[in-house]
Structures are given as structure tokens and as C-alpha cells.
Amino acid sequence: MAPQIDYTAVFTALPSPCLVLGTDLVIADANPAFCEGTGRSQTELVGQYLFDAFPDNPADPEADGAVTLKASLHRVLSSGQTDHMALQKYDIPIAGNPEVFKERWWTAINVPVLDPDGKVAWIIHRSEDMTDVVLARRTAHLPSVRPGREAAMEAELYSRARQLQRLNEELRQAHARERRIAVALQEAMLHVPDLARHPDVAVRYLPAAGSLNVCGDWYDAVDLPGGRFAVAVGDVVGHGLMAATVMGRLRSALSAATRTVHGPAQALEVLGLYARSVEGALAATAVQVLVDCHSHLLIYSSAGHPPPVLLHPDGACELLDQATDPPLGARPEHVPRPQANSTYTPGDTLILYTDGLIERRGEDIDVGLARLTSTLATCTGFGAEHLADALLARLDLTSGANDDIAMVVVRLNGTPPRT
């Protein structure tokens, strides 16, 4: 008879700091080693969104620990594969004084726990504090390292370096030239410089499960004078390099039009006229919302796209569906596109998305919209990043869907973009 293993006791006894994360990146459990290493109790950590509990050090302009860790976790969610992280600076708040951060260096491994269907159900985040080794290298001695600890740390660094070397070699061998070009193309085309001034805006892009990792879905954000900015998402029919190329042309055209015309309707009119001259652009859809931070006004127009959702703090959802027109280039003659307004209250959240978020085979789109709004009602009070992760997790989409997904989440606080 096989022995009964108490896995809770095993997790508690592990000498390495470990977390169990849900697919929404909320901390489900933390072992004593993690609590000791971070100076936080289990009560303080469990139930917290990981990056609310451990934000980047605001006093360090080069801090990117949270961004790097989040990228690793999303790779695990999308691929279902273990992700090894190299040595990373990631300062943590001092216990009892969250405004003050202490320099810390870590290596980490993020391991998926799969459910019976092969989907990611949990992530084990195992980390090793390498701060003593890094600081010792600066001074060429190890006065604060416990006996035996230096050797263990050196072994961990060596082991991790070998693992990364092996994985990188496998990656180079596995990726064909087309895939490398495709991924670089997608990243370049989805780069949004203006997002750096919007800490309350989160974006997500998930290619269809099993795809080349490029698609025709896109998002954009454009800062405008007078405390205004515009956000948009769009969808080009098809997948692969051709769809991505068309997407890049349409996205650039809309971004340029937004800066020169008055309002989303006129911007989509210009885009529709341009789409007629772009092979593969017909039947593409897009929606744009202009946010006026002073008047708390949302001005929007849609070219055949699913309606954005305005989520209120009480969980009520408002569909922005009063200015919907056919897809780009669908009309044989030019007709002005409609435009509508809606007011918002600081604390509301705006969600734009492509149809991969709501559509399922053999299901009416109204069912998908109802599922989206009911799920959003459970995400009130979340910041933009937390809501984006929680929404994908609760819709069971962290590993992708049958179609591509692009999403923009805007936490509306009435504050104009940073300059």
C-alpha cells in the first residue's frame, strides 16, 4: 500500500521560499521560508494580488522586477511550461514600513500545476534570495553569510546558469526563422510609447492557442491635448504574418488619424477609407474611446466591433453600444460614422476587447457578453493590472482561446495623463 503523503506538510517544510499562485496571480499560499525571507506573515500575503503585495520600488527608476516576473508568469500561463528566471533585482518593502524598500536579488522558477484537462490551475513560484552573494561580490568578501550558505548559493547560481544555458540552446534550436521574425514583428507593432504615462491602463495580447504567436488583433493608446487620451482595439480577419502585417498598417493609420481629426467617428472614417486600399483589410473591425479626464466624458465609435464595457464600483456594467456601424470598408460609398457619449465617475473601469474574449463555437454572442459582464461584476475594486489578470483567469483564458484576444483595461480616476 502506497504511503499517504501530507502535501501541506511537505510544502510547509520546504527550505526554499515558495508561493502558490492562482491563474489570476493572487497568492493562494506561502510557505514559512517565503514569509521569513520577505518579512511578511501568511495572513498578510494570502488573498493578495502578487504585484499589490510586492510592487516595484518607486524610488528606483530602473526597477523592473515586477515587470520581469509578470512576464515569466504569463509565459507559464500561456505555454503550460516551466519558466526559469535569471538573477533579478527585485526590492521588497520593509515589514511594518511599506514606503521603504530594501535591496534584494533573487533567482526564481515558476512551475505550472495542471488540472485533469491539461490547463494551468496553479503556479508554484520558487525563489532563492541571492542578495548576500551579490553584495559580497561588490566587496569581495562574505562577512554576513552563514557557514555553508556561500557554497549553497554558489551552487544555486551555477545550477541556474546551466539550466538557462540549456533552455536557451533548446529555444534556439526549436524556433524557426519565421517564428523569430513573427514575434519580433508583433512586439514592434504592439509597442505603445504613450502607455508609459498611464499607470492605470493595462493591456493584454494572447494569440490563439496553437498559433504562430502573431495575429490580427491589436490595441493602441494615444495621448491628446487638453487632458484627453484615446484607447482602441481592432481585429483583422485571419492569423499569421499576413494578418499581422495588415494589422500593423491599420493600427498605424488609426493612430495617425486620431492625432489629426476630431473624435473617434472621424478617425474611424479615415481608417475605413484607408482600409479599402489595403489588401486583407476589408471586414476588419475596430472601436475607439476618447477619455476626457476633465469633463469625465467617454466619446466612442465602433466599426462592427463588440461593445466596450464600463464597469461601475457596485458591479453594474454599461455596454457602450450606441454608436455601432459596419466593419471597415464594408460600405460601397462613404457614409459618416456614428458617435456617442457616456459619462463616467472616477472609480469606474473601462474595458475594450476583441471577440476572442467572448465568443465560443456554437454559442450566441449575447451569451458571451452576459458571461463577460457577470464576471466583471466580481472584479470591482481591482486595479487595471489585477483586473486584466483576474478576468482572463475567471474566463479560463489564461492559456489562450480558439481565437486571438487583445484587451485594454482603463481604471478611470479623472486624472489627466502624466506629461
Side-chain angles (χ1 to χ4, degrees), residues 204-260:
R204 295 290 185 270
Y205 154 70
L206 280 78
S211 73
L212 182 64
N213 212 41
V214 295
C215 66
D217 287 22
W218 53 271
Y219 54 76
D220 197 18
V222 177
D223 283 338
L224 299 168
R228 301 173 304 146
F229 66 95
V231 288
V233 294
D235 185 357
V236 172
V237 176
H239 304 278
L241 286 172
M242 179 60 72
T245 302
V246 174
M247 172 273 288
R249 296 178 65 180
L250 294 182
R251 180 176 178 269
S252 297
L254 181 60
S255 183
T258 300
R259 290 171 164 84
T260 56

Side-chain angles (χ1 to χ4, degrees), residues 168-185:
N168 284 336
E169 182 60 30
E170 291 176 358
L171 187 65
R172 284 191 292 270
Q173 294 176 359
H175 281 64
R177 180 172 180 271
E178 183 182 11
R179 181 175 177 82
R180 293 198 302 269
I181 295 173
V183 172
L185 174 66

Side-chain angles (χ1 to χ4, degrees), residues 329-414:
R331 296 186 187 277
E333 297 182 1
H334 173 65
V335 175
R337 290 190 177 272
Q339 182 169 282
N341 300 342
S342 181
T343 58
Y344 72 87
T345 301
D348 289 346
T349 304
L350 175 68
I351 302 96
L352 288 75
Y353 54 93
T354 54
D355 55 13
L357 190 72
I358 58 172
E359 289 188 349
R360 305 291 185 272
R361 287 196 181 104
E363 182 180 270
D364 189 88
I365 192 170
D366 289 336
V367 176
L369 282 171
R371 179 172 52 244
L372 172 62
T373 54
S374 62
T375 303
L376 284 171
T378 69
C379 301
T380 57
F382 292 0
E385 294 286 347
H386 188 182
L387 189 148
D389 287 331
L391 182 59
L392 292 172
R394 296 177 188 185
L395 291 175
D396 196 23
L397 295 172
T398 53
S399 299
N402 292 325
D403 198 3
D404 315 311
I405 298 172
M407 181 169 61
V408 178
V409 178
V410 184
R411 180 76 166 171
L412 298 162
N413 56 20

Side-chain angles (χ1 to χ4, degrees), residues 198 200 227 229 293-294 296 344 346 412-418:
H198 293 271
D200 292 320
F229 66 95
C293 299
H294 294 302
H296 296 171
Y344 72 87
L412 298 162
N413 56 20
T415 304
R418 297 173 182 170

Side-chain angles (χ1 to χ4, degrees), residues 24 47 50 98 101 107 114 136 155 162 199 216 271 310 313 331 358:
D24 55 359
L50 178 61
F101 284 67
T107 61
L114 306 181
R162 291 293 300 272
L271 186 64
L310 184 62
R331 296 186 187 277
I358 58 172

Side-chain angles (χ1 to χ4, degrees), residues 45 70 74 77 90 108 142 181 184 221 227 246 269 282 285 302 316 323 336 343 349 360 376 378 388 397 410:
L45 294 174
K70 184 178 296 182
H74 280 294
L77 290 170
Y90 195 156
L142 297 167
I181 295 173
V246 174
E269 284 183 35
L282 296 183
T285 68
S302 173
T343 58
T349 304
R360 305 291 185 272
L376 284 171
T378 69
L397 295 172
V410 184

Side-chain angles (χ1 to χ4, degrees), residues 9-290:
V10 172
F11 180 71
T12 300
L14 288 173
S16 293
C18 292
L19 288 177
V20 179
L21 302 172
T23 54
D24 55 359
L25 306 187
V26 170
I27 300 170
D29 204 355
N31 73 348
F34 189 93
C35 295
E36 179 183 358
T38 59
R40 309 284 283 277
S41 70
Q42 189 181 55
T43 302
E44 290 177 292
L45 294 174
V46 172
Q48 288 288 307
Y49 180 58
L50 178 61
F51 300 103
D52 286 344
F54 297 103
D56 266 328
N57 183 355
D60 182 358
E62 298 182 356
D64 62 355
V67 173
T68 303
L69 175 56
K70 184 178 296 182
S72 173
L73 294 170
H74 280 294
R75 285 194 294 271
V76 174
L77 290 170
S78 62
S79 69
Q81 301 294 318
T82 296
D83 194 80
H84 298 258
M85 299 185 66
L87 186 66
Q88 176 71 40
K89 184 176 184 291
Y90 195 156
D91 300 342
I92 62 171
I94 294 178
N97 193 356
E99 302 300 320
V100 180
F101 284 67
K102 182 177 181 180
E103 180 179 354
R104 300 293 280 272
W105 292 80
W106 311 83
T107 61
I109 300 174
N110 297 308
V111 182
V113 179
L114 306 181
D115 65 16
D117 296 326
K119 294 184 177 180
V120 178
W122 305 96
I123 298 177
I124 303 297
H125 169 72
R126 170 185 171 253
S127 57
E128 290 290 346
D129 186 351
M130 310 305 294
T131 307
D132 287 341
V133 170
V134 172
L135 298 183
R137 285 290 175 267
R138 295 177 183 170
T139 57
H141 59 83
L142 297 167
S144 63
V145 181
R146 299 190 303 272
R149 180 63 171 158
E150 176 186 358
M153 288 179 171
E154 294 284 5
E156 173 68 21
L157 280 176
Y158 178 74
S159 174
R160 192 62 50 80
R162 291 293 300 272
Q163 288 174 332
L164 287 172
Q165 182 180 9
R166 175 177 55 81
L167 289 170
N168 284 336
E169 182 60 30
E170 291 176 358
L171 187 65
R172 284 191 292 270
Q173 294 176 359
H175 281 64
R177 180 172 180 271
E178 183 182 11
R179 181 175 177 82
R180 293 198 302 269
I181 295 173
V183 172
L185 174 66
Q186 191 82 32
E187 291 177 348
M189 289 191 294
L190 288 178
H191 179 59
V192 184
D194 287 357
L195 277 179
R197 293 185 285 274
H198 293 271
D200 292 320
V201 177
V203 295
R204 295 290 185 270
Y205 154 70
L206 280 78
S211 73
L212 182 64
N213 212 41
V214 295
C215 66
D217 287 22
W218 53 271
Y219 54 76
D220 197 18
V222 177
D223 283 338
L224 299 168
R228 301 173 304 146
F229 66 95
V231 288
V233 294
D235 185 357
V236 172
V237 176
H239 304 278
L241 286 172
M242 179 60 72
T245 302
V246 174
M247 172 273 288
R249 296 178 65 180
L250 294 182
R251 180 176 178 269
S252 297
L254 181 60
S255 183
T258 300
R259 290 171 164 84
T260 56
V261 301
H262 299 287
Q266 289 188 24
L268 289 178
E269 284 183 35
V270 172
L271 186 64
L273 292 171
Y274 175 68
R276 296 181 188 178
S277 64
V278 178
E279 184 178 356
L282 296 183
T285 68
V287 62
Q288 186 179 75
V289 181
L290 189 152

